[in-house]
Amino acid sequence: MTDPHKGLTGLLDTEAIRKDFPILDRRVHDGKPLVYLDNAATSQTPRQVIDTLSTYYERYNANVHRGVHVLAEEATELYEGARDKVAEFVNAPSRDEVIFTKNASESLNLVANMLGWADEPYRVDRETEIVITEMEHHSNIVPWQLLAQRTGAKLKWFGLDPADGTLDLSNIEEVITEKTKIVSFVLVSNILGTHNPVEQIVRRAHEVGALVLIDASQAAPHMPLDVQALQADFVAFTGHKMCGPTGIGVLWGRQELLEDLPPFLGGGEMIETVSMHSSTYAPAPHKFEAGTPPIAQAVGLGAAVDYLTSIGMEKIAAHEKAITEYAVRRLMEVPDLRVIGPTTAEERGSAISFTLGDIHPHDVGQVLDEQGIAVRVGHHCARPVCLRYGIPATTRASFYLYSTPAEVDALVDGLEHVRNFFG
Amino acid sequence: MTDPHKGLTGLLDTEAIRKDFPILDRRVHDGKPLVYLDNAATSQTPRQVIDTLSTYYERYNANVHRGVHVLAEEATELYEGARDKVAEFVNAPSRDEVIFTKNASESLNLVANMLGWADEPYRVDRETEIVITEMEHHSNIVPWQLLAQRTGAKLKWFGLDPADGTLDLSNIEEVITEKTKIVSFVLVSNILGTHNPVEQIVRRAHEVGALVLIDASQAAPHMPLDVQALQADFVAFTGHKMCGPTGIGVLWGRQELLEDLPPFLGGGEMIETVSMHSSTYAPAPHKFEAGTPPIAQAVGLGAAVDYLTSIGMEKIAAHEKAITEYAVRRLMEVPDLRVIGPTTAEERGSAISFTLGDIHPHDVGQVLDEQGIAVRVGHHCARPVCLRYGIPATTRASFYLYSTPAEVDALVDGLEHVRNFFG
Amino acid sequence: MYQDVILDHYKHPHGRGLRPGDAEVHHVNPTCGDEITLRVRYEGSRIADVSYEGQGCSISQASASVLNDLLVGKDVEEAQRIQGTFLELMQSKGRIEPDDAMEEVLEDAVAFAGVSKYPARVKCALLSWMAWKDATAQALGDTEAPASAEPVERKTA
Amino acid sequence: MYQDVILDHYKHPHGRGLRPGDAEVHHVNPTCGDEITLRVRYEGSRIADVSYEGQGCSISQASASVLNDLLVGKDVEEAQRIQGTFLELMQSKGRIEPDDAMEEVLEDAVAFAGVSKYPARVKCALLSWMAWKDATAQALGDTEAPASAEPVERKTA
Ligand SMILES: Cc1ncc(COP(=O)(O)O)c(C=O)c1O
Ligand SMILES: Cc1ncc(COP(=O)(O)O)c(C=O)c1O
């Protein structure tokens, strides 16, 4: 028997890495080993992060800022230290450009709301236009629909070419115009895996003076991210997809913008001085962090960033590229399987959506689950993509630094079983 | 020597309880035992909650809702189970009335924003008025200032009587009028400790058809809370002050209102169906929970609620009452000490603010800290109260279920030391 | 959860296809995209036909087939009782073990007991039943108006 | 952090009280409510007086007293060097152990080295120094205009 994994290069030492993730030892459905291929929905949490959270609550827990006692000072240092780590992780020019939110969705809504309440030249109103794309996650669609409804602005979008799962930018000059105030798009699609051409979109947006927000939720966990290289004005991502805890997200924004733009949520921590008649606001990032922040979660995200950095984002990207290449190749061998999205491993993320003949994704997912294989089925919060492809849903397998070629094999075998079961 | 604690009744078995809180064993500043009296800022976290968080990440972590694999189902059950627990904890008529947010500040902002975007009869606009009080936390002031600025509504408030730290409701009929759309006030003040007269305010508000939002951030941790008995329309509180993790808050709201009111943040999880042209929203509570929620944090809050319930909220309230009574009595014996707020233990919470002669609270707090005693100093995110009293700041000691009379003694001794030090 | 009975109905659905009816509804499960178009035809209070077209998972398709088997020929009151029992079973979270009495009422539909353990799938199983309930309300509400030869077409999304 | 030097200055502040000046500023530390009103008087580029009134913690009060000691009589350029050194010390997070050279420049102000370990208190120590910097900018900016007998009063919140 020839080794089916021969020729796969750039793989990480997953045997060692998997030891860091207690959940990967779990058995489900009467002792079947868990094959976790739902990483685009949420990643698993390494021991290092879990321990950081416990230690935080066991030794340092206090409310941050302004406290003069030891715990408050230590908790503040840990919280602000996490900001330093995240700033470095995305190569932010300044730590004050890193805003902690509760998830990527809040980050995206935060920008939409700032622009709705902003003064000129940023203000989105009935004279202006908002641009998104047809492959956005609902979290990068609905906030803009709400903003458009509430301000009278016009919402426009780039269409999707179903042939290869890429954006149709042929009409970029008509879509992004002098009226455009903001262009918000996903760096790597969570449903298609498509990696979008940042430079072309950013260039056109800045040409007309529009701001650019990049949804990097599916990028930050998987590749080196450099907000300066992206040349965007805002970048959003979420902790729970990058080995961090739930309840923490990030918005990076350019300092001048954060200074100029109005606050979103009001409350403790985000103020400079308050009287009953009026208030002034703290400088960014605090201006955008109302109330007690997700302290432990930020600290946990800091630990996740340390963990990922210790392995190396370049290496993680190479590992995933090898796995994705292998997975695409093996999946295309499954009869009746149709990949929804790019069919190369170049310029794509590690989430792979597909349909399997007439078998409904719910059934595919359920029968895979019975074999211990966790995939996601549905519209993956990107229903417009399904509408465009004329399908109700897809099955999606998505990989991470601990995924192995053997798990790809298990998926392919599982799909054979699904076909026989419903055949 | 007579036992100074004689006659204190209703105390909990703090020796047993303190074993649940690892941080209470900490020593600071060269081995001094930690005396943690900053519970109004944040409470400490019992082992039971810390373990629940670890177990969540070690065994069940997955994104909730719509998943067909085991982990997704288990995580969903845990998350929604936490909602059941919180609903029961506050005696909500329906679990669907419990919305998870990131903190109390988000809960309060959520209501302000819903009302700003609502249709009649809820809509806050330039014809209408908003009522708050002078003793609110900044998180219940700034959102309304922002709403007033952005809609043109008029912001009014009940003043504070510095003589006894209570609200001046003598002009209630002029403050709450037919134009009032919302009355938002704090149940127990975090700076004064004042417990406000709910019934009178709610009666007047409902008489004129205004909605009532109660900020129960300092009440939910300390006493039985019954949203039905309060008769309010919305109640907000925060997890980290009630033995729960950071990064989780709650908004309870009446079902009909949650059905009628528009969403706030847009994104995944909060939708029913999305197309590029328009979207429809899921029923409450999901309508108000955009994006991946703070899953582990909600589960942790559920564990905190279990913990508090196992001890009994009535008993916790009785314990704190005894401690507070003792603390007020002992503090009043300290020369030059002036309690800012009610000086009885009746109808007050367990946060006690004071000034100590001319010694600035920063100095008081710092010298107490050197003795291992953690108190908070400053305006406690309630600067209008300080303005009203004509003081820059206060020192605040605040107690919880694990606080002991001996800790009160330590505080009083510490204050003596402060007086000598700066005397 | 995939009982043979369910797979059989999925692979060989009973009564599938749209035939004339007194009312038509279109129901969608927005979270997974399952769809059904369903018509009912009454003769007095007796269900003369339930016809349907749709796309969706095995559970939703098999459930429509079972519905057709169970309800056609029944009086509306009895059908509502059956629907109520099925709803109860599906909302039981796996806690109801169907007994003989229930099996008498639900026949093949007892095979769905296992589905009730999977919250994400309960809606699939109920899709056609909710559509039938809705169509019936429309059809019987309409009997007061003079009976028309053309089926009434209404859509509920 | 409470060095005797600091406590001494706190209890017996030097140069406290408002006297005539060329410029006046009012600075507030919004997070803790510390306030200072500070005037500077220049004779050419020489600091003839720094007078102040304020309320706040021992650190902010002692720091103003030390400032008065250090800067009155100095030329503005030298004063700015001293201010720069003090700022550097305060932002050192306890990492600078003042050496003799620094002590030469800062004199009593080296006692604040310990404060730099407490982020919440650094602002207190810097309050009067920031006010002085601001007042100086105003006073010297104004020397171009004909010198006036009345002090210029400006407020910066
Ligand atoms: C009375 C009151 N309201 C609101 C808040 C805000 O809570 P959080 O900071 O968790 O949003 C607090 C605590 O900081 C509070 O004491
Ligand atoms: C591309 C993309 N954007 C945004 C989000 C929203 O992230 P969150 O749910 O953490 O807010 C997700 C994940 O769900 C995503 O995949």
Side-chain angles (χ1 to χ4, degrees):
Chain A
M1 205 176 107
T2 58
D3 178 359
H5 306 152
K6 231 179 77 177
L8 287 181
T9 56
L11 291 179
L12 290 166
D13 178 1
T14 46
E15 209 172 312
I17 289 174
R18 292 175 74 89
K19 293 212 177 84
D20 292 332
F21 293 82
I23 208 171
L24 297 181
D25 283 339
R26 247 204 85 168
R27 305 203 155 235
V28 294
H29 291 304
D30 305 320
K32 299 203 186 62
L34 173 67
V35 176
Y36 185 75
L37 303 180
D38 194 15
N39 293 286
T42 206
S43 60
Q44 293 305 341
T45 324
R47 163 71 47 216
Q48 288 84 339
V49 171
I50 301 172
D51 287 349
T52 298
L53 293 171
S54 298
T55 304
Y56 172 81
Y57 290 115
E58 284 164 10
R59 292 189 57 78
Y60 305 111
N61 182 47
N63 213 323
V64 292
H65 302 137
R66 283 196 284 286
V68 296
H69 59 78
V70 176
L71 297 188
E73 275 158 8
E74 289 173 345
T76 303
E77 207 168 301
L78 286 169
Y79 178 69
E80 294 299 334
R83 200 190 302 281
D84 291 327
K85 290 177 186 187
V86 171
E88 200 186 320
F89 187 71
V90 299
N91 195 28
S94 159
R95 67 183 305 282
D96 294 335
E97 297 179 339
V98 172
I99 299 166
F100 285 124
T101 60
K102 70 173 170 179
N103 53 25
S105 302
E106 187 190 351
S107 301
L108 297 164
N109 279 275
L110 171 46
V111 178
N113 279 274
M114 288 195 291
L115 299 183
W117 296 121
D119 291 328
E120 288 300 342
Y122 307 115
R123 189 176 181 81
V124 168
D125 59 23
R126 48 183 307 109
E127 308 300 318
T128 63
E129 297 177 351
I130 300 162
V131 173
I132 59 174
T133 87
E134 204 178 3
M135 69 166 81
E136 298 310 312
H137 188 280
H138 293 163
S139 292
N140 201 23
I141 298 177
V142 183
W144 304 109
Q145 288 180 337
L146 288 170
L147 182 65
Q149 274 163 33
R150 288 167 178 181
T151 60
K154 187 167 171 196
L155 181 62
K156 295 162 79 177
W157 56 87
F158 289 107
L160 171 63
D161 180 352
D164 60 357
T166 60
L167 288 179
D168 173 8
L169 297 177
S170 59
N171 56 348
I172 190 166
E173 318 251 308
E174 287 99 75
V175 175
I176 302 178
T177 71
E178 298 291 332
K179 289 186 164 181
T180 309
K181 287 286 175 175
I182 175 82
V183 179
S184 185
F185 68 97
V186 72
L187 185 49
V188 177
S189 156
N190 69 307
I191 178 168
L192 297 168
T194 318
H195 189 137
N196 284 316
V198 175
E199 208 188 309
Q200 189 185 353
I201 301 174
V202 171
R203 197 184 324 116
R204 173 62 185 163
H206 284 170
E207 198 173 279
V208 299
L211 297 175
V212 174
L213 164 55
I214 293 184
D215 175 1
S217 301
Q218 297 289 346
H222 302 290
M223 61 183 75
L225 192 70
D226 179 335
V227 295
Q228 300 189 56
L230 288 176
Q231 303 231 29
D233 300 291
F234 303 101
V235 176
F237 51 99
T238 197
H240 66 91
K241 295 190 203 281
M242 50 193 286
C243 296
T246 58
I248 185 79
V250 174
L251 178 69
W252 169 85
R254 279 202 294 116
Q255 186 128 31
E256 317 86 82
L257 293 172
L258 298 183
E259 270 162 30
D260 287 357
L261 289 167
F264 172 38
L265 303 182
E269 311 285 352
M270 58 71 77
I271 56 95
E272 185 182 65
T273 177
V274 172
S275 78
M276 293 307 287
H277 295 277
S278 69
S279 301
T280 56
Y281 309 117
H286 306 292
K287 178 162 81 174
F288 303 104
E289 295 182 353
T292 303
I295 307 170
Q297 292 72 42
V299 175
L301 179 59
V305 159
D306 283 346
Y307 181 78
L308 292 173
T309 306
S310 75
I311 289 174
M313 291 310 294
E314 292 283 4
K315 286 189 184 151
I316 291 171
H319 174 81
E320 290 187 35
K321 183 156 179 245
I323 293 280
T324 304
E325 204 156 44
Y326 180 64
V328 170
R329 171 152 54 87
R330 291 290 323 268
L331 286 171
M332 307 262 280
E333 290 163 18
V334 176
D336 301 330
L337 188 147
R338 175 181 168 213
V339 170
I340 304 295
T343 51
T344 61
E346 304 299 322
E347 290 296 299
R348 84 166 342 277
S350 58
I352 308 176
S353 271
F354 56 85
T355 57
L356 189 63
D358 281 342
I359 309 174
H360 193 281
H362 261 188
D363 291 320
V364 176
Q366 197 92 48
V367 173
L368 287 176
D369 175 58
E370 286 171 3
Q371 299 165 74
I373 303 164
V375 295
R376 187 131 305 220
V377 300
H379 51 50
H380 315 290
C381 293
R383 188 164 170 271
V385 170
C386 291
L387 290 178
R388 178 56 154 229
Y389 278 87
I391 50 179
T394 76
T395 303
R396 181 185 71 188
S398 52
F399 305 97
Y400 206 10
L401 72 164
Y402 38 65
S403 301
T404 67
E407 290 183 314
V408 174
D409 297 339
L411 171 65
V412 170
D413 293 347
L415 290 171
E416 276 307 328
H417 178 69
V418 171
R419 288 185 63 243
N420 294 334
F421 194 81
F422 291 105
Chain B
M1 204 175 106
T2 58
D3 178 358
H5 307 152
K6 232 180 77 177
L8 288 180
T9 56
L11 291 179
L12 289 166
D13 178 1
T14 45
E15 208 172 313
I17 289 174
R18 292 175 74 88
K19 293 212 176 82
D20 293 331
F21 293 81
I23 207 170
L24 297 181
D25 282 340
R26 247 204 85 168
R27 305 203 154 237
V28 293
H29 291 304
D30 304 322
K32 301 204 183 61
L34 173 68
V35 176
Y36 186 75
L37 303 180
D38 193 16
N39 293 286
T42 206
S43 60
Q44 293 305 341
T45 323
R47 163 71 44 217
Q48 288 81 342
V49 171
I50 301 173
D51 287 349
T52 298
L53 293 172
S54 298
T55 305
Y56 172 80
Y57 290 115
E58 284 164 9
R59 292 190 55 80
Y60 306 111
N61 181 48
N63 214 324
V64 293
H65 301 136
R66 282 198 283 287
V68 296
H69 60 77
V70 177
L71 296 188
E73 274 158 9
E74 289 172 346
T76 303
E77 207 168 301
L78 286 168
Y79 178 68
E80 294 299 334
R83 200 190 303 280
D84 292 326
K85 290 177 187 186
V86 171
E88 199 185 321
F89 187 70
V90 299
N91 195 28
S94 158
R95 67 182 305 281
D96 293 336
E97 297 180 338
V98 172
I99 299 165
F100 286 124
T101 60
K102 72 172 170 179
N103 54 24
S105 301
E106 186 190 350
S107 301
L108 297 164
N109 279 276
L110 172 46
V111 178
N113 278 274
M114 287 195 292
L115 298 183
W117 296 121
D119 292 327
E120 287 301 342
Y122 307 114
R123 189 177 181 81
V124 168
D125 58 25
R126 48 183 307 110
E127 308 300 319
T128 63
E129 296 178 353
I130 299 162
V131 173
I132 60 174
T133 88
E134 205 178 1
M135 69 166 80
E136 298 310 312
H137 189 280
H138 293 164
S139 292
N140 201 24
I141 298 177
V142 183
W144 305 110
Q145 289 180 336
L146 287 171
L147 183 65
Q149 275 164 31
R150 290 168 179 181
T151 60
K154 187 167 170 194
L155 181 61
K156 294 163 80 176
W157 56 86
F158 289 107
L160 171 65
D161 180 353
D164 59 358
T166 60
L167 288 179
D168 173 7
L169 298 177
S170 60
N171 57 348
I172 190 166
E173 318 250 309
E174 288 100 75
V175 176
I176 302 178
T177 71
E178 299 290 332
K179 288 186 165 182
T180 309
K181 288 285 176 176
I182 175 83
V183 179
S184 184
F185 68 96
V186 72
L187 185 48
V188 177
S189 156
N190 69 306
I191 178 168
L192 297 167
T194 318
H195 188 139
N196 286 314
V198 174
E199 208 188 309
Q200 189 184 354
I201 302 174
V202 171
R203 196 183 326 114
R204 174 63 186 162
H206 284 171
E207 199 173 279
V208 300
L211 297 175
V212 174
L213 165 56
I214 293 184
D215 176 1
S217 301
Q218 297 289 345
H222 302 290
M223 61 183 73
L225 193 70
D226 179 335
V227 295
Q228 299 188 58
L230 288 175
Q231 303 230 29
D233 300 291
F234 303 99
V235 175
F237 52 98
T238 199
H240 67 91
K241 294 191 203 284
M242 50 194 287
C243 296
T246 57
I248 186 81
V250 174
L251 177 70
W252 169 85
R254 281 203 292 115
Q255 186 129 30
E256 318 84 84
L257 293 172
L258 298 184
E259 269 161 31
D260 286 358
L261 289 167
F264 173 38
L265 303 182
E269 310 286 350
M270 59 72 77
I271 56 93
E272 186 181 64
T273 177
V274 172
S275 77
M276 294 307 287
H277 294 277
S278 69
S279 301
T280 57
Y281 309 118
H286 305 293
K287 179 161 79 173
F288 302 104
E289 295 182 353
T292 304
I295 306 170
Q297 293 72 40
V299 175
L301 178 59
V305 159
D306 283 346
Y307 181 78
L308 293 173
T309 306
S310 76
I311 290 173
M313 292 309 296
E314 292 283 2
K315 287 191 182 149
I316 291 171
H319 173 81
E320 290 187 35
K321 182 154 181 249
I323 292 281
T324 305
E325 204 155 45
Y326 180 64
V328 170
R329 170 152 54 85
R330 292 288 325 268
L331 286 171
M332 308 261 281
E333 291 164 18
V334 176
D336 302 330
L337 187 146
R338 174 181 170 214
V339 170
I340 305 295
T343 51
T344 61
E346 304 299 322
E347 290 296 299
R348 81 160 354 269
S350 58
I352 308 176
S353 271
F354 55 86
T355 57
L356 189 64
D358 282 343
I359 309 173
H360 192 281
H362 262 187
D363 290 321
V364 176
Q366 196 92 49
V367 173
L368 287 176
D369 175 58
E370 286 170 2
Q371 299 164 75
I373 303 165
V375 296
R376 186 131 307 219
V377 300
H379 50 51
H380 315 290
C381 293
R383 189 165 169 271
V385 170
C386 291
L387 290 177
R388 178 56 154 226
Y389 278 87
I391 51 179
T394 77
T395 303
R396 181 187 70 188
S398 53
F399 306 97
Y400 207 10
L401 72 164
Y402 38 66
S403 301
T404 66
E407 290 183 314
V408 173
D409 297 339
L411 171 66
V412 170
D413 293 347
L415 290 170
E416 276 308 329
H417 178 68
V418 171
R419 287 185 63 244
N420 295 335
F421 193 80
F422 292 104
Chain C
M1 102 180 205
Y2 293 109
Q3 304 287 320
D4 285 343
V5 179
I6 294 181
L7 287 176
D8 276 353
H9 276 279
Y10 171 53
K11 290 178 191 166
H12 311 289
H14 302 181
R16 193 179 168 96
L18 285 174
R19 295 173 293 277
D22 306 322
E24 174 182 299
V25 297
H26 180 73
H27 273 218
V28 175
N29 178 345
T31 60
C32 62
D34 285 3
E35 295 189 26
I36 195 165
T37 304
L38 180 145
R39 290 185 191 162
V40 288
R41 188 161 61 79
Y42 277 88
E43 283 169 359
S45 68
R46 191 182 146 275
I47 302 171
D49 194 14
V50 180
S51 63
Y52 62 93
E53 267 304 351
Q55 60 169 6
C57 65
S58 58
I59 303 298
S60 71
Q61 300 303 298
S63 168
S65 170
V66 165
L67 177 147
N68 172 283
D69 266 10
L70 268 175
L71 301 194
V72 173
K74 297 278 189 331
D75 191 83
V76 65
E77 284 202 6
E78 194 183 342
Q80 275 158 349
R81 253 194 318 275
I82 296 172
Q83 198 260 354
T85 308
F86 188 66
L87 190 65
E88 191 192 333
L89 177 65
M90 293 319 297
Q91 291 175 341
S92 72
K93 301 188 173 173
R95 281 190 223 107
I96 294 182
E97 184 67 57
D99 56 11
D100 287 355
M102 189 175 257
E103 188 155 355
E104 190 120 331
V105 179
L106 292 184
E107 303 179 18
D108 278 5
V110 294
F112 287 83
V115 176
S116 74
K117 272 181 266 176
Y118 298 86
R121 307 305 296 278
V122 169
K123 275 193 182 170
C124 308
L126 289 177
L127 184 68
S128 53
W129 294 80
M130 292 304 173
W132 171 78
K133 197 178 161 195
D134 204 7
T136 293
Q138 288 185 22
L140 300 187
D142 279 330
T143 50
E144 263 118 54
S148 114
E150 283 298 289
V152 181
E153 301 224 10
R154 291 225 197 119
K155 306 222 172 221
T156 59
Chain D
M1 103 181 203
Y2 292 109
Q3 303 286 320
D4 286 343
V5 179
I6 293 180
L7 287 177
D8 276 354
H9 277 278
Y10 171 53
K11 291 178 189 165
H12 311 288
H14 303 179
R16 194 181 169 96
L18 284 175
R19 296 173 293 279
D22 307 320
E24 174 180 300
V25 296
H26 180 73
H27 273 217
V28 175
N29 178 345
T31 60
C32 63
D34 284 4
E35 295 189 25
I36 194 164
T37 304
L38 182 143
R39 290 185 191 161
V40 289
R41 188 161 61 78
Y42 277 89
E43 284 169 357
S45 69
R46 192 183 146 272
I47 302 171
D49 194 13
V50 180
S51 64
Y52 63 94
E53 267 305 351
Q55 61 169 5
C57 66
S58 58
I59 303 298
S60 71
Q61 300 303 297
S63 167
S65 169
V66 165
L67 178 148
N68 175 283
D69 267 10
L70 268 175
L71 301 193
V72 173
K74 297 279 190 330
D75 191 84
V76 64
E77 282 201 7
E78 194 183 344
Q80 276 159 347
R81 255 197 315 277
I82 297 172
Q83 198 259 357
T85 308
F86 187 67
L87 190 66
E88 189 191 335
L89 179 65
M90 294 318 297
Q91 293 175 339
S92 73
K93 301 189 173 173
R95 282 191 221 106
I96 293 182
E97 184 67 57
D99 56 11
D100 287 355
M102 189 175 258
E103 188 153 357
E104 189 118 331
V105 179
L106 292 184
E107 301 177 20
D108 278 5
V110 295
F112 287 81
V115 177
S116 74
K117 272 180 266 176
Y118 298 85
R121 307 304 296 278
V122 170
K123 275 193 183 169
C124 309
L126 289 177
L127 184 67
S128 53
W129 293 80
M130 292 303 174
W132 171 80
K133 197 177 161 195
D134 204 7
T136 293
Q138 287 184 25
L140 299 187
D142 279 330
T143 50
E144 265 117 54
S148 118
E150 284 298 289
V152 181
E153 301 225 9
R154 293 225 195 120
K155 305 224 172 217
T156 59

